[in-house]
């Protein structure tokens, strides 16, 4: 099947399956109710992310079975395991330790595949990749607290990865990245504005693992350099990482639910979900994309551009959190 048609198929399947997931969540009573640690004001079904995952799995099996082995043998199975874990957790609350152990096992399995594929990097680099993958898996979930936030970032990251893989000659991984973006796009109509359903761990954790894996694999096989990989997810990395650091410094239990991410503080101060989404994606389009283009075309400037943007965004995060206060 031609990639363009495959992308359309995934988009349609994701939209339809998310609708079925929304009805199922209402039937089973899988509802997130408003509370002091949530940014929504209306009881809303959760777990809609199973729709985009089903679309990816079904489309791969039926229409794209011969895709590059990294997708079928390591990445998609890992996503499926984490998605099932989130689905299970939605129905019967699981301990944080058990969820972490499963994430750790899936991450080790994926990195084992990368090493077996010929990566000869230093052990320190391998450990760093593992920690990065675990952090990406969780930070994407942490950012799933505003309507459209993780879905739109999924479309953006997928588009960047599709372009970068295609430019390096990895056409099949470019198509797989486009499929992920299409799945996120099919989910968005159910989550934008006044959300009909939330993605939930079943989708956000799996997507975090997906993007972390693609970024690591892209750096390892030379499709793009490390600073480019950092730029693709820089806004999520800044917001989630600095918020975590702030909570650790303050001696708080950082793993507990909270509303201290910048996007959550903006909503609590009166910003609409749509306005917050526009801010993040406008920064992506106006600053991050040009930064990626410069870093790709002029590799000697890659780290300079990346560090400059990290410093600028980090400063912006600090100033805005000071302005809007710190929430519990």
């Amino acid at each position: 099947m031609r990639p363009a048609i495959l992308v359309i198929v995934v988009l349609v399947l994701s939209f339809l399956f998310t609708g079925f997931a929304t009805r199922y969540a209402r039937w089973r009573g899988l509802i997130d109710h408003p509370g002091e640690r949530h940014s929504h004001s209306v009881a809303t079904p959760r777990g809609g992310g199973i729709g985009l995952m089903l679309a990816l799995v079904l489309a791969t099996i039926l229409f794209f079975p011969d895709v590059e082995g990294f997708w079928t043998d390591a990445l998609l199975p890992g996503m499926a395991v984490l998605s099932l874990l989130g689905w299970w957790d939605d129905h019967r609350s699981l301990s944080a330790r058990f969820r972490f152990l499963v994430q750790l096992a899936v991450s080790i399995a994926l990195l084992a595949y990368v090493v077996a594929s010929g990566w000869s990097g230093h052990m320190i680099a391998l450990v760093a990749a593992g920690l990065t993958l675990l952090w990406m898996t969780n930070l994407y979930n942490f950012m799933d607290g505003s309507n459209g936030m993780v879905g739109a970032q999924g479309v953006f990251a997928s588009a960047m990865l599709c372009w970068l893989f295609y430019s390096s000659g990895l056409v099949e991984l470019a198509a797989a990245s486009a499929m992920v973006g299409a799945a996120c796009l099919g989910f968005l109509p159910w989550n934008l504005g006044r959300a009909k359903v939330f993605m939930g761990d079943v989708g956000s954790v799996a997507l975090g693992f997906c993007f972390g894996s693609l970024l690591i694999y892209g750096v390892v096989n030379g499709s793009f350099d490390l600073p480019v990989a950092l730029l693709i997810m820089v806004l999520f990395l800044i917001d989630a990482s600095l918020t975590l650091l702030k909570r650790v410094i303050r001696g708080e239990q950082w793993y507990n639910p909270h509303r201290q991410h910048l996007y959550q503080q903006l909503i609590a101060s009166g910003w609409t979900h749509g306005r917050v989404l526009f801010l993040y994606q406008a920064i992506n389009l106006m600053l991050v994309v040009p930064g990626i283009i410069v870093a790709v075309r002029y590799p000697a400037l890659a780290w300079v551009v990346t560090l400059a943007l990290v410093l600028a965004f980090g400063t912006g995060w600090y100033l805005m959190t000071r302005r809007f206060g710190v929430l519990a």
Side-chain angles (χ1 to χ4, degrees), residues 12 37 70 92 100 129 134 148 209 234 269 271 286 295 314:
V12 172
R37 300 190 184 277
F70 177 69
R92 178 181 296 178
F100 174 77
L134 283 171
F209 174 80
V234 65
S269 69
W271 285 41
M286 296 174 65

Side-chain angles (χ1 to χ4, degrees), residues 215-227:
L215 291 173
I216 290 171
Y217 194 66
V219 172
V220 168
N221 65 29
S223 296
F224 43 84
D225 294 329
L226 178 57

Side-chain angles (χ1 to χ4, degrees), residues 125-138:
L126 182 63
V127 172
L131 293 175
T132 299
L133 185 53
L134 283 171
W135 180 226
M136 279 294 302
T137 299
N138 286 284

Side-chain angles (χ1 to χ4, degrees), residues 3-310:
I5 298 177
L6 181 61
V7 166
I8 294 173
V9 169
V10 172
L11 190 154
V12 172
L13 288 177
S14 178
F15 177 81
L16 294 176
F17 288 156
T18 302
F20 295 145
T22 303
R23 291 189 176 186
Y24 173 82
R26 288 178 181 148
W27 173 62
R28 286 298 304 267
L30 305 178
I31 306 294
D32 274 349
H33 295 278
E36 62 177 10
R37 300 190 184 277
H38 298 280
S39 297
H40 62 284
S41 57
V42 178
T44 306
R46 67 176 181 271
I50 191 66
L52 65 87
M53 274 304 308
L54 288 173
L56 287 172
V57 172
L58 187 62
T60 298
I61 293 174
L62 295 181
F63 307 115
F64 205 28
D66 298 324
V67 66
E68 205 269 347
F70 177 69
W71 174 260
T72 55
D73 298 341
L75 205 166
L76 191 60
M79 289 179 68
V81 169
L82 293 177
S83 190
L84 289 172
L85 181 71
W87 188 248
W88 185 8
D89 189 46
D90 276 339
H91 290 75
R92 178 181 296 178
S93 184
L94 303 174
S95 70
R97 177 179 296 181
F98 178 73
R99 295 198 304 270
F100 174 77
L101 288 175
V102 174
Q103 292 175 12
L104 180 62
V106 169
S107 299
I108 291 174
L110 182 129
L111 291 176
Y113 179 92
V114 173
V115 172
S117 298
W119 184 37
S120 57
H122 195 278
M123 179 59 67
I124 295 177
L126 182 63
V127 172
L131 293 175
T132 299
L133 185 53
L134 283 171
W135 180 226
M136 279 294 302
T137 299
N138 286 284
L139 81 81
Y140 209 83
N141 180 42
F142 296 161
M143 297 297 290
D144 183 22
S146 179
N147 298 345
M149 179 68 78
V150 295
Q153 182 66 23
V155 174
F156 172 78
S158 297
M160 292 296 97
L161 286 165
C162 179
W163 167 55
L164 291 168
F165 281 127
Y166 185 83
S167 299
S168 66
L170 296 181
V171 178
E172 291 182 348
L173 271 185
S177 300
M179 287 170 57
V180 176
C184 292
L185 192 60
F187 168 80
L188 275 175
W190 297 95
N191 187 241
L192 287 172
R194 187 171 180 176
K196 301 178 182 65
V197 69
F198 295 147
M199 183 177 290
D201 291 7
V202 65
S204 60
V205 171
L207 283 177
F209 174 80
C210 173
F211 291 127
S213 301
L214 288 173
L215 291 173
I216 290 171
Y217 194 66
V219 172
V220 168
N221 65 29
S223 296
F224 43 84
D225 294 329
L226 178 57
V228 175
L230 293 174
L231 283 176
I232 293 175
M233 297 297 294
V234 65
L235 288 183
F236 273 31
L237 285 167
I238 290 291
D239 198 348
S241 300
L242 291 183
T243 299
L244 172 64
L245 179 61
K246 176 184 65 180
R247 287 174 60 80
V248 170
I249 291 174
R250 294 173 63 192
E252 300 176 2
Q253 293 181 320
W254 56 267
Y255 46 83
N256 285 342
H258 61 87
R259 285 196 301 166
Q260 294 185 23
H261 291 289
L262 176 58
Y263 75 89
Q264 293 171 318
Q265 296 184 43
L266 292 173
I267 293 170
S269 69
W271 285 41
T272 64
H273 289 257
R275 186 181 178 189
V276 172
L277 176 62
F278 178 82
L279 172 65
Y280 277 70
Q281 292 309 314
I283 293 174
N284 269 338
L285 295 176
M286 296 174 65
L287 296 176
V288 176
V289 170
I292 292 174
I293 292 173
V294 171
V296 169
R297 292 186 177 179
Y298 306 99
L301 297 176
W303 275 114
V304 175
V305 171
T306 300
L307 293 176
L309 287 178
V310 167

